[in-house]
Amino acid sequence: MTTRTAIEWADATWSPILGCTRVSKGCDGCYAIRTAHIRAHHPNPKVAAAFEGLTHQTGERIDWTGRVNVLPGRLTEPMRRRSPMKWFVNSQSDLFHEQIPDEAIAAILAVIALTPRHTYQVLTKRHGRMRALMSSPAFRELCEQAEARLVFDEDTPGLARYEREQYATRWWSSFAKPLPNLWLGVSVEDQTTADMRIPALLATPAAVRWISAEPLLGPIDLWGPTDRFGGRRRLTYWLDGRPGWGEPERTSIGMEMCPMVTGPRLDWVVAGGESGPGARPAHPNWFRSLRDQCAHSGVPYLFKQWGQWSPRAPRDADGRIVRGRRGQGVTLADDGTVYQPGDLYGNGPRVREALDAGHHQARLAQLYSVGKKKAGRELDGRSHDEYPTPRRTRTENR
């Protein structure tokens, strides 16, 4: 099933596989769990069957069961669309979930290879399996076999006869190099998950590598991990790519010289706050820091949303701050500490006075629960909607 989406960085979602499990605190407010639970009770029996058995009640919350449903009938949907589109792959699952067979992932990549007019965006929290599969010669063979089955199946839509004939006579593989229309990314919510997942992403062959820092639950330093004294344990060059020497090349006068090349780096950064019931607030400085880091290195940055919480207070027609449920505010320090209104006075630090005075050392932000729509997606008075382009990539070891 393909669905036009409100996601700012995609045109549509494509979900040939459903079901997942939580792996980190970024999953605590997962919208896909709520969606799957609702659709499992859909009046349309086909929709209900697709989501059957994916969720269950555990205590006071709804959670995944760990089951995944592979839906072959949805596999070739993008092949029916002739106009170029940006597809978010598996919005109701994780493409590299441990329960998804290698063959099912290979079939999805085969569709991607056969539709170069489209762009496909993949996000995963299973960075280890992604790196292992995308680097495996055996998995490449599975992808090639899946592509051949689709091409020679007369029921596969979107392929003209001449395209099938051309495929039958060609000698190269679509998977000899990373698919140019596949953007591989990892979800990161704080420095801990960034330190785990970004190195694996950079070690994965890909035409475009990106991260989604949503929901952002803490500051992220994309220059790499620091030690307890604030120094760098190692230079990681996540944003710039590690410089080094390439393979030797023989010049016209017979000399062998090694060109300077740049290692893999992040090609795109998306960031956003959490929305939905129980959403956690994000400090504006976390988004500003990512924006500034990307600007320094020339990496495209997209600010997706504030989410449930906004730094702009809701006001009535007379300009007064609205109190009550929709105007409930919290004070957030940029280390993630949340201060409720009652915490701001008394014997502890006089953070309320520092906040009122705009003291820059306090690094506090007053945030208000106003809802995703009212919060909007402007950061410091402007929107950020940058995307990676193939021409932006430099000479590097992919």
Side-chain angles (χ1 to χ4, degrees), residues 319-337:
R320 295 172 297 190
I321 294 179
V322 176
R323 302 297 179 184
R325 186 179 66 85
R326 298 298 290 177
Q328 179 65 42
V330 298
T331 302
L332 183 68
D334 68 356
D335 64 356
T337 303

Side-chain angles (χ1 to χ4, degrees), residues 343-393:
D343 300 331
L344 303 181
Y345 297 99
N347 298 325
R350 304 185 70 177
V351 293
R352 177 73 256 177
E353 287 87 338
L355 182 67
D356 290 341
H359 197 293
H360 70 281
Q361 295 296 334
R363 296 181 178 177
L364 300 172
Q366 188 75 13
L367 298 167
Y368 301 89
S369 177
V370 299
K372 175 182 175 179
K373 184 175 181 180
K374 288 188 177 180
R377 49 189 303 267
E378 286 192 353
L379 177 61
D380 292 335
R382 58 156 290 192
S383 58
H384 297 267
D385 289 305
E386 300 173 1
Y387 290 85
T389 58
R391 289 186 176 88
R392 195 197 63 78
T393 58

Side-chain angles (χ1 to χ4, degrees), residues 72-91:
R74 298 184 182 184
L75 178 64
T76 58
E77 283 296 326
M79 303 184 73
R80 304 177 189 273
R81 308 296 181 95
R82 302 305 302 178
S83 299
M85 298 173 65
K86 293 194 294 290
W87 297 88
F88 179 27
V89 182
N90 266 18
S91 63

Side-chain angles (χ1 to χ4, degrees), residues 191 195 223-228 230-236 238:
Q191 192 67 50
D195 292 349
W223 294 102
T226 58
D227 59 28
R228 60 192 180 94
R232 302 288 173 188
R233 292 201 301 267
R234 58 186 180 278
L235 295 177
T236 55
W238 291 350

Side-chain angles (χ1 to χ4, degrees), residues 57-75:
Q57 191 82 29
T58 59
E60 296 182 355
R61 74 174 184 176
I62 299 169
D63 204 355
W64 297 113
T65 62
R67 168 178 166 177
V68 298
N69 292 342
V70 179
L71 308 174
R74 298 184 182 184
L75 178 64

Side-chain angles (χ1 to χ4, degrees), residues 180-193:
N181 60 333
L182 174 59
W183 299 1
L184 286 178
V186 292
S187 298
V188 297
E189 61 260 28
D190 53 21
Q191 192 67 50
T192 299
T193 51

